[in-house]
């Protein structure tokens, strides 16, 4: 049997009484804003643990817990523990309580003169409710002035509390909003005499969308939507309302429209999360007998508040899951290798084995084949994945600038060094540095780089402070370094230090089975970026893509798809949208005959002529020319400058 209360704390208002808190001997009752208190107060003037009420030597006492604004007993601030007597007033912050031994000791409170009930469309709002006794520690219940009789303060009935408890357990397992709302509707049926229950989601602006509609067995089959007057009142005030149909009042002019409503009494409660309205919980009876009452209103509001909290959490979880999927997709586009061919599977297997080690890796392959993707995959699968991944193209900088970029420089180290700059090695400390086109590194820089690879400290350009870092090096080249070593342009000891583990990235022509996957991959990327509504490729377009030799490798394919998306106009990309360079591997030099007589010329002259012919062929489109020449755009720019080529 429930324990009998020894005393009560009753929330006091100017026009009556609010929540009732039974006090049981042997229990300490703390009051404050923290949810761990026995009496939780939504009062910004209260401290988290403001005061406590406790029993000692057969009597109840009150104690301040070091609150910021103090605790007052009958208007006097507490300096020490004080005993409580019937009708003593305890004030914490803005909240006032009366202490009584029994409920019969409460005095009658004067009430304001009743206002006329609000009527519209034949509906009379009998009561508004902003809080409910089911919410422990909530502010006092608000009622309309037409509620002229003071209901006895009481605790929530055990049956209703049991329904709320079971609902909380069921809601925690709900998979989506529709299931969540259906659980709330079923709970309303278990505790109220409602014949129809509906949950409506709020769309902007103030548009209500029916989410769930339930009828009690034997009840009406049709759902009559909530009155606009009632819904506007609930959305504006954020209070639940109890309304009745007053069609019997012959003085009303719109009796015909009232008769069509077929609603005797209704309750509409806002589904709230904090101050935001997510929807409405609407229930009604068509029968005039056993109408909905104030108890049903309080219970409905409690259901709506519980529903709002779980609704928000479920929507947020769904949103975060969708966002996580989107982010994973974006990361996959930028950093993951795409393809299922045997050569690619072999590379992925090698990456998996080498990633966990600390070994230096040399990635070799043609330009545009995806060497940086391999390096990034090594980093992402290594224990260093949470640390920086820093990239640097050694061919894009002069010797002086490359050394400054790698090792940093002190302020004033050279002209233009206006401030201290840390280098790529310092920036990558604890992580991975990827050095592309390592074969273009000048011999002087190679010596300093080798010392860092061997674990020695380095100094910034213009500095004398030793700096030691922990960095894994992944280098890449599309040049035959062995020839550079024989020619003396690349240090032999550095070559062996880099080639601890070598990964050879296959050119795209050796894995043509991956072309359709890569093409679809890039299509989705550029469709998402441009907003174009292109669904895929025609079979003829796929055949054209897989029949090409791809001298520019994956980079060329990526550029082809980007151009097709930019210029394509149909729902699918067709052969006309796929522009392919007519230069393939093994084709004769442009402008030269395959049977031309031998002409003595240096390699530089031959390279100069070939680059100029390629630029003319592409109408000086340097990106296309670089793809055809199988070199980086930056390398092409340097060679144009070196040979003094002009359009």
């Amino acid at each position: 049997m429930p324990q009998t209360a020894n005393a009560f704390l009753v929330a006091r208002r100017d026009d009556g009484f609010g929540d009732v808190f039974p006090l049981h001997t042997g229990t300490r009752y703390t009051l404050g804003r923290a949810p761990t208190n026995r009496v939780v107060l939504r009062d910004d003037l209260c401290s988290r643990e403001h005061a406590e009420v406790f029993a000692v030597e057969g009597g109840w006492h009150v104690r301040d817990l070091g609150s910021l604004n103090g605790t007052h007993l009958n208007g006097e601030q507490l300096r020490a523990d004080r005993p409580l007597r019937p009708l003593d007033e305890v004030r914490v912050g803005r909240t006032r309580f009366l202490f009584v031994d029994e409920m019969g000791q409460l005095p009658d409170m004067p009430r304001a003169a009743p206002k006329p009930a609000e009527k519209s469309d034949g509906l009379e709002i009998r009561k508004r409710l902003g809080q409910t006794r089911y919410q422990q520690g909530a502010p006092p219940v608000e009622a309309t002035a037409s509620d002229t009789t003071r209901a006895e303060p009481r605790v929530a009935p055990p049956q209703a509390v049991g329904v709320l408890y079971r609902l909380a357990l069921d809601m925690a397992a709900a998979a989506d909003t529709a299931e969540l709302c259906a659980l709330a509707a079923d709970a309303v049926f278990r505790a109220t005499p409602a014949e129809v229950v509906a949950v409506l989601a709020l769309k902007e602006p103030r548009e209500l969308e029916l989410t769930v509609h339930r009828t009690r067995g034997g009840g009406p089959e049709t759902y009559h939507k909530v009155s606009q007057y009632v819904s506007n009142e609930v959305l504006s005030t954020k209070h639940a309302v109890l309304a009745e149909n007053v069609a019997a009042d012959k003085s009303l002019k719109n009796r015909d429209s009232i008769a069509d409503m077929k609603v005797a009494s209704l309750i509409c409660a806002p589904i709230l999360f904090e101050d935001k309205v997510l929807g409405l919980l609407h229930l009604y009876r068509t029968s005039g007998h056993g109408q909905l009452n104030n108890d049903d209103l309080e219970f409905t509001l409690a259901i709506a508040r519980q529903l709002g909290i779980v609704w928000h959490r479920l929507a947020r979880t769904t949103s975060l899951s969708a966002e996580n999927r989107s982010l994973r997709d974006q990361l996959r586009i930028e950093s993951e290798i795409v393809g299922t061919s045997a050569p690619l599977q072999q590379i992925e297997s090698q990456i998996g084995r080498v990633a966990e080690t600390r070994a230096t890796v040399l990635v070799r392959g043609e330009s545009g084949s995806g060497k940086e993707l391999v390096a990034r995959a090594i980093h992402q699968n290594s224990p260093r994945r949470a640390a920086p991944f820093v990239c640097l193209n050694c061919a894009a900088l002069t010797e002086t600038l490359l050394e400054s970029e790698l090792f940093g420089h002190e302020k004033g180290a050279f002209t233009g060094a206006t401030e201290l700059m840390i280098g790529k090695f310092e920036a990558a400390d604890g992580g991975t540095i990827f050095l592309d086109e390592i074969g273009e590194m000048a011999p002087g820089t190679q010596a300093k780089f080798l010392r860092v690879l061997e674990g020695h400290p380095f100094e910034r350009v213009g500095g004398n402070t030793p700096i030691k870092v922990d960095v894994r090096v992944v280098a890449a080249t599309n040049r035959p370094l062995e020839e550079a070593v024989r020619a003396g342009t690349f240090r032999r000891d550095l070559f062996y230090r880099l080639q601890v583990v070598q990964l050879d990235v296959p050119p795209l022509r050796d894995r043509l089975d991956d072309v359709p996957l890569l093409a679809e991959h890039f299509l989705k990327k550029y469709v998402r970026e441009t907003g174009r509504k292109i669904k895929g490729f025609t079979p003829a377009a796929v055949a054209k893509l897989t029949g090409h030799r791809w001298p520019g490798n994956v980079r060329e394919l990526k550029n082809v798809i980007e151009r097709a998306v930019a210029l394509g106009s149909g729902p699918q990309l067709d052969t006309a949208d796929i522009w392919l360079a007519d230069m393939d591997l093994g084709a004769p030099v442009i402008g030269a005959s395959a049977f031309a007589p031998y002409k003595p010329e240096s390699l530089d002259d031959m390279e100069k002529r070939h680059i100029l012919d390629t630029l003319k062929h592409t109408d000086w489109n340097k990106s296309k020319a670089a793809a055809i020449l199988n070199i980086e755009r930056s390398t092409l720019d340097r060679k144009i400058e070196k040979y003094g080529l002009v359009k």
Side-chain angles (χ1 to χ4, degrees):
M1 293 185 63
Q3 184 181 0
T4 303
N6 303 102
F8 301 88
L9 279 181
V10 183
R12 185 169 189 171
R13 297 171 18 211
D14 292 335
D15 60 348
F17 298 101
D19 295 337
V20 178
F21 298 94
L23 305 177
H24 303 282
T25 304
T27 302
R28 174 176 171 263
Y29 293 85
T30 57
L31 298 79
R33 288 186 296 107
T36 53
N37 290 293
R38 291 261 179 190
V39 181
V40 181
L41 303 174
R42 297 181 184 176
D43 186 335
D44 57 355
L45 293 184
C46 288
S47 300
R48 289 184 59 81
E49 287 193 355
H50 195 110
E52 67 175 333
V53 175
F54 58 96
V56 60
E57 297 179 357
W60 287 91
H61 291 67
V62 61
R63 172 187 299 161
D64 182 73
L65 297 177
S67 62
L68 181 63
N69 294 313
T71 302
H72 295 76
L73 178 63
N74 299 325
E76 180 184 348
Q77 185 169 351
L78 291 180
R79 303 297 179 186
D81 297 354
R82 293 279 297 276
L84 290 171
R85 297 179 178 83
L87 300 183
D88 276 351
E89 182 182 271
V90 179
R91 177 164 63 84
V92 288
R94 296 189 182 92
T95 309
R96 296 176 295 159
F97 293 98
L98 276 186
F99 173 81
V100 292
D101 290 329
E102 56 185 32
M103 298 302 296
Q105 294 174 341
L106 288 174
D108 291 330
M109 298 293 292
R111 299 187 62 89
K115 298 179 182 178
E118 301 173 69
K119 299 176 183 178
S120 179
D121 297 335
L123 288 173
E124 178 181 292
I125 294 181
R126 297 292 189 187
K127 187 172 184 178
R128 301 177 187 274
L129 196 61
Q131 300 288 349
T132 166
R133 64 183 182 275
Y134 292 93
Q135 295 170 260
Q136 183 74 357
V141 170
E142 300 177 17
T144 59
S146 60
D147 186 16
T148 58
T149 60
R150 177 172 61 83
E152 283 296 320
R154 56 191 174 88
V155 294
Q159 178 185 1
V161 173
V163 173
L164 287 173
Y165 175 72
R166 176 59 186 271
L167 176 62
L169 297 178
D170 292 341
M171 280 182 169
D176 51 42
T177 305
E179 181 182 352
L180 188 68
C181 295
L183 290 170
D186 293 340
V188 170
F189 281 138
R190 289 199 296 272
T192 75
E195 295 173 342
V196 179
V197 179
V199 179
L200 303 102
L202 178 63
K203 307 296 182 182
E204 296 296 339
R206 289 208 171 192
E207 178 186 346
L208 294 169
E209 179 182 279
L210 184 63
T211 301
V212 167
H213 160 225
R214 293 282 191 274
T215 59
R216 193 183 293 274
E221 294 296 330
T222 304
Y223 167 66
H224 298 281
K225 67 178 183 179
V226 63
S227 159
Q228 186 174 357
Y229 163 63
V230 171
S231 64
N232 286 340
E233 286 292 309
V234 174
L235 292 174
S236 299
T237 65
K238 298 180 183 177
H239 287 179
V241 300
L242 167 64
E244 295 178 0
N245 193 337
V246 290
D249 188 344
K250 297 182 180 180
S251 64
L252 294 174
K253 298 179 180 179
N254 56 346
R255 293 185 63 200
D256 292 339
S257 63
I258 293 167
D260 292 338
M261 290 175 60
K262 299 179 182 178
V263 173
S265 60
L266 68 86
I267 290 173
C268 187
I271 301 170
L272 291 168
F273 178 77
E274 295 180 348
D275 264 347
K276 182 181 180 182
V277 180
L278 305 179
L280 299 179
L281 179 57
H282 180 214
L283 51 138
Y284 62 81
R285 283 184 63 83
T286 58
S287 170
H289 300 289
Q291 291 191 347
L292 300 170
N293 58 26
N294 293 346
D295 289 339
D296 301 324
L297 177 64
E298 288 213 40
F299 179 79
T300 302
L301 181 56
I303 289 278
R305 291 297 170 86
Q306 194 166 317
L307 175 59
I309 294 171
V310 186
W311 188 333
H312 170 79
R313 186 172 69 241
L314 188 61
R316 185 171 181 271
T317 301
T318 303
S319 174
L320 287 174
S321 297
E323 184 178 350
N324 287 340
R325 286 195 299 271
S326 175
L327 289 172
R328 284 197 300 269
D329 290 342
Q330 292 178 34
L331 288 172
R332 182 178 301 116
I333 289 172
E334 297 298 332
S335 63
E336 289 189 9
I337 301 171
V338 176
T340 58
S341 62
L344 202 63
Q345 288 179 358
Q346 182 179 0
I347 282 289
E348 290 177 336
S349 174
Q350 292 171 343
I351 290 171
R353 291 195 297 270
V354 76
E356 295 295 328
T357 71
R358 299 173 57 89
T360 303
V361 179
L362 179 63
V363 183
R364 308 185 75 160
E366 296 178 5
S367 179
S369 59
K371 296 186 292 297
E372 183 176 340
L373 268 75
V374 171
R376 194 175 295 272
I378 291 171
H379 173 74
Q380 290 179 345
N381 289 277
S382 75
R384 300 171 179 261
R385 64 179 66 89
F389 176 79
V390 178
C391 301
L392 182 64
N393 189 324
C394 299
L397 302 168
T398 64
E399 179 178 358
T400 303
L401 288 179
L402 177 59
E403 186 173 346
S404 174
E405 283 289 320
L406 282 174
F407 308 114
H409 63 251
E410 300 288 345
K411 181 178 179 180
F414 51 84
T415 303
T418 57
E419 58 184 14
L420 181 146
M421 186 191 80
I422 67 169
K424 300 298 185 184
F425 270 105
E426 284 184 79
D429 191 19
T432 304
I433 187 169
F434 171 60
L435 301 177
D436 198 7
E437 297 196 51
I438 191 71
E440 302 292 333
M441 184 179 288
T445 308
Q446 291 177 27
K448 193 170 183 179
F449 174 47
L450 177 60
R451 284 187 57 81
V452 177
L453 273 182
E454 292 175 342
H456 297 286
F458 62 90
E459 298 171 355
R460 299 191 189 103
V461 176
N464 53 17
T465 303
I467 300 170
K468 189 174 178 63
V469 294
D470 174 24
V471 175
R472 180 181 194 170
V473 174
V474 179
T477 183
N478 59 6
R479 290 182 53 187
L481 289 183
E482 294 83 354
E483 293 183 8
V485 170
R486 285 192 289 269
T489 58
F490 198 84
R491 294 178 63 102
R492 183 181 300 272
D493 49 0
L494 177 58
F495 171 74
Y496 291 128
R497 187 66 183 80
L498 287 174
Q499 203 181 26
V500 176
V501 175
Q502 178 174 309
L503 298 182
D504 296 307
V505 182
L508 188 55
R509 63 181 175 275
D510 289 349
R511 54 185 186 102
L512 292 176
D513 291 347
D514 292 332
V515 169
L517 292 175
L518 284 163
E520 189 69 28
H521 176 81
F522 292 128
L523 175 63
K524 290 179 180 178
K525 170 183 169 66
Y526 294 119
V527 163
R528 182 172 60 251
E529 291 180 359
T530 61
R532 296 293 181 87
K533 299 186 181 300
I534 301 175
K535 302 299 182 182
F537 300 88
T538 64
V542 174
K544 184 175 182 179
L545 290 170
T546 53
H548 187 57
R549 296 287 291 169
W550 300 109
N553 291 296
V554 179
R555 183 183 294 116
E556 181 187 1
L557 174 60
K558 179 181 178 181
N559 294 337
V560 166
I561 302 304
E562 183 177 10
R563 177 185 183 279
V565 172
L567 300 180
S569 57
Q572 288 184 305
L573 294 181
D574 205 349
T575 53
D577 301 310
I578 308 298
W579 185 90
L580 299 174
D582 58 2
M583 176 177 284
D584 204 345
L585 293 178
V589 176
I590 297 172
S593 167
F595 303 97
Y598 171 77
K599 177 183 177 181
E601 61 182 341
S602 68
L603 289 174
D604 282 353
D605 290 339
M606 184 181 297
E607 184 180 60
K608 175 181 177 181
R609 175 172 52 80
H610 181 56
I611 290 174
L612 182 59
D613 288 342
T614 305
L615 287 168
K616 289 178 179 178
H617 173 74
T618 61
D619 195 21
W620 277 79
N621 185 320
K622 294 181 182 179
S623 297
K624 291 181 181 177
I628 293 172
L629 293 169
N630 200 18
I631 60 177
E632 298 288 343
R633 166 69 182 269
S634 59
T635 304
L636 177 60
D637 287 334
R638 287 191 295 103
K639 291 183 181 296
I640 291 174
E641 181 179 358
K642 172 183 175 181
Y643 294 126
L645 302 178
V646 293
K647 187 173 182 180

